[in-house]
Amino acid sequence: ATVLWPPTAWLRRRNLSPALAATLVLLGGIVALVLLMVLIVASVSGSFDEIAQSAVQGVQAIQDWLAGPPLNLQQTQLDAALQQVTDRLQASISTITSSVLTGVGSVASGVVTALLTLVLAFYFVKDGPEFLPWVRTVAGDGAGGHIAEVLRRVWKMLGEFIRTQALVSLVDGVLIGLGLVVLGVP
C-alpha cells in the first residue's frame, strides 16, 4: 500500500474518485507484476534446451568423477547405487504423496493470502487518508494523537524502506546483468 499510495494520490488530485484511483493503481500494479513474470519465464524457457543439456553434462561429469580416481567405482556399482535410490523412492511413495498434498494445501493457503492482500491493499489505498482521523476519534484526543503520529511515521519509514530496496534491487540487477553479458553467460 505504501508503494501504491503515491500514484493513487496523484490520480485523486486529478479528481478521480478514491475507489477508481485505487482500482486503477492496483490493477496497474498487478499488470506490471504479471508482465515481469512473463518476461522472466520467456527468458528462462528460451534457454531450457541449453539448461537441460548442461544438466546432462553435469550428471555425466559426476559419473566420470565417481568412475575415476580416487573412488574408481565401476559402472555396475553405479547402477546398483542408482537402483537402491530408485527402490527407496518407490518405498517412500506414501510419504512423497503426503508431501505433495501438503504442498497443495500450501498453494491454496498462498492463493487465499494473496487475495486477502489484494483486498486489504485496495482498502488501505482507497481509504488511507481517513484512517488516522478515525484512530484519533476512537482512541481519544490524548492517546489518539500519539498513536496517529506513530502510525504516520511508521507509514513514512516503511515507504522509504521499500523504495530504497527497490532501488538497490534495480542497481544489483543491472550490474549483475552487465557482468553476465561481459562474461558471455547466456
Side-chain angles (χ1 to χ4, degrees):
T2 60
V3 172
L4 300 176
W5 175 247
T8 304
W10 183 83
L11 289 173
R12 288 173 73 162
R13 285 191 300 269
R14 305 290 181 275
N15 295 324
L16 262 69
S17 70
L20 181 59
T23 301
L24 289 175
V25 170
L26 193 61
L27 288 176
I30 291 170
V31 167
L33 286 175
V34 168
L35 286 175
L36 183 64
M37 289 171 48
V38 165
L39 288 172
I40 291 171
V41 167
S43 170
V44 171
S45 67
S47 60
F48 184 73
D49 291 337
E50 190 174 333
I51 293 170
Q53 185 179 19
S54 295
V56 168
Q57 290 173 349
V59 169
Q60 184 61 44
I62 290 172
Q63 285 179 338
D64 292 344
W65 178 78
L66 290 172
L71 299 177
N72 296 320
L73 296 177
Q74 296 182 6
Q75 187 63 38
T76 56
Q77 292 171 313
L78 293 174
D79 291 341
L82 183 60
Q83 185 61 41
Q84 283 181 334
V85 169
T86 303
D87 291 343
R88 181 162 288 164
L89 281 175
Q90 289 174 345
S92 303
I93 196 72
S94 64
T95 305
I96 293 170
T97 304
S98 169
S99 297
V100 167
L101 291 176
T102 301
V104 169
S106 297
V107 168
S109 175
V111 168
V112 169
T113 301
L115 291 175
L116 181 61
T117 300
L118 288 174
V119 169
L120 288 175
F122 171 78
Y123 283 112
F124 287 154
V125 173
K126 176 186 165 286
D127 297 329
E130 288 84 27
F131 182 70
L132 292 182
W134 175 80
V135 167
R136 280 195 172 141
T137 304
V138 169
D141 290 334
H146 295 293
I147 293 171
E149 180 60 23
V150 167
L151 290 175
R152 187 189 66 72
R153 289 182 185 188
V154 166
W155 179 268
K156 180 181 178 215
M157 293 306 296
L158 182 61
E160 290 173 0
F161 173 77
I162 291 172
R163 284 185 286 279
T164 302
Q165 290 302 310
L167 180 63
V168 168
S169 298
L170 176 67
V171 170
D172 283 351
V174 168
L175 293 178
I176 289 169
L178 288 174
L180 292 174
V181 167
V182 167
L183 293 174
V185 176

